[in-house]
Amino acid sequence: LRIAAVIAARQIVTDAGADPQKVLDEGLIAEALRAEGLDAVRALLNAAMACRDSRGRGLGQTPVARARRFLSQRYSDPNLMLQDVAGEVGMSQSHFSTVFGQETGLTFTQYLTALRIGKAKELLSATAMRSSEIAFAVGYNDAHYFSYMFKKQTGMTPSEYRKANGG
């Protein structure tokens, strides 16, 4: 049981994307393996779960919730692709695509586009940045394509949106 607890603690930390040797104290592991180390087993597992939870990979975090958080942090990367997000949450591309669509009601591309256009709306309303600067800031390499997508999503060009929203 004690060995299984140590293995489980290491796996929890590894699954959280951290290095067990840096997170789990070797002295605590040794104590957990001794016959009288039941409190140490508890402390070891608590340390592993604290690491997992601090990295946002807790049991309450679904893969789609983790993907949404990842997307909200990385939406400005013009090279961001479905495979990057699927890999981040530990799923195959096809399975992630299916689960993501079921949970959000949107395809990955629709969700990313909506996220980027939403951020662009914020920037248009709150800053004096040029439309081309905003395009790059929200993950579009091509300002013309950004304007096309913006109009397709909102029914207005970026400049029309800015005028209508006090930017």
Side-chain angles (χ1 to χ4, degrees):
L1 179 63
R2 296 170 197 290
I3 293 170
V6 170
I7 292 170
R10 287 179 187 261
Q11 189 62 51
I12 290 168
V13 172
T14 301
D15 289 349
D19 181 356
Q21 292 181 331
K22 293 181 180 175
V23 173
L24 302 174
D25 180 75
E26 287 299 320
L28 189 57
I29 291 173
E31 188 178 334
L33 291 172
R34 286 197 294 272
E36 67 281 352
L38 202 50
D39 287 336
V41 168
R42 185 178 300 112
L44 182 67
L45 290 171
N46 284 338
M49 289 183 291
C51 171
R52 175 201 65 196
D53 294 344
S54 73
R55 293 175 159 265
R57 296 184 182 186
L59 294 175
Q61 292 289 321
T62 67
V64 172
R66 291 194 326 260
R68 288 173 124 165
R69 187 177 55 253
F70 181 76
L71 286 167
S72 72
Q73 296 167 347
R74 301 271 311 273
Y75 69 90
S76 63
D77 178 355
N79 299 313
L80 183 62
M81 297 170 64
L82 174 102
Q83 63 206 37
D84 300 322
V85 183
E88 176 68 18
V89 299
M91 298 173 84
S92 72
Q93 292 178 47
S94 60
H95 184 60
F96 172 74
S97 184
T98 300
V99 171
F100 190 84
Q102 288 171 341
E103 196 166 316
T104 65
L106 300 169
T107 67
F108 170 79
T109 302
Q110 290 169 331
Y111 184 88
L112 181 57
T113 299
L115 178 62
R116 287 175 169 169
I117 297 301
K119 298 294 183 179
K121 286 177 175 179
E122 291 174 20
L123 292 171
L124 286 164
S125 297
T127 71
M129 290 172 69
R130 294 181 14 224
S131 181
S132 59
E133 294 171 323
I134 292 173
F136 293 114
V138 299
Y140 288 97
N141 282 329
D142 183 339
H144 295 292
Y145 183 69
F146 163 71
S147 293
Y148 166 78
M149 291 303 293
F150 191 92
K151 183 162 185 166
K152 185 176 177 182
Q153 295 290 311
T154 66
M156 295 184 240
T157 65
S159 58
E160 290 169 344
Y161 183 87
R162 176 174 273 156
K163 287 176 190 171
N165 291 282

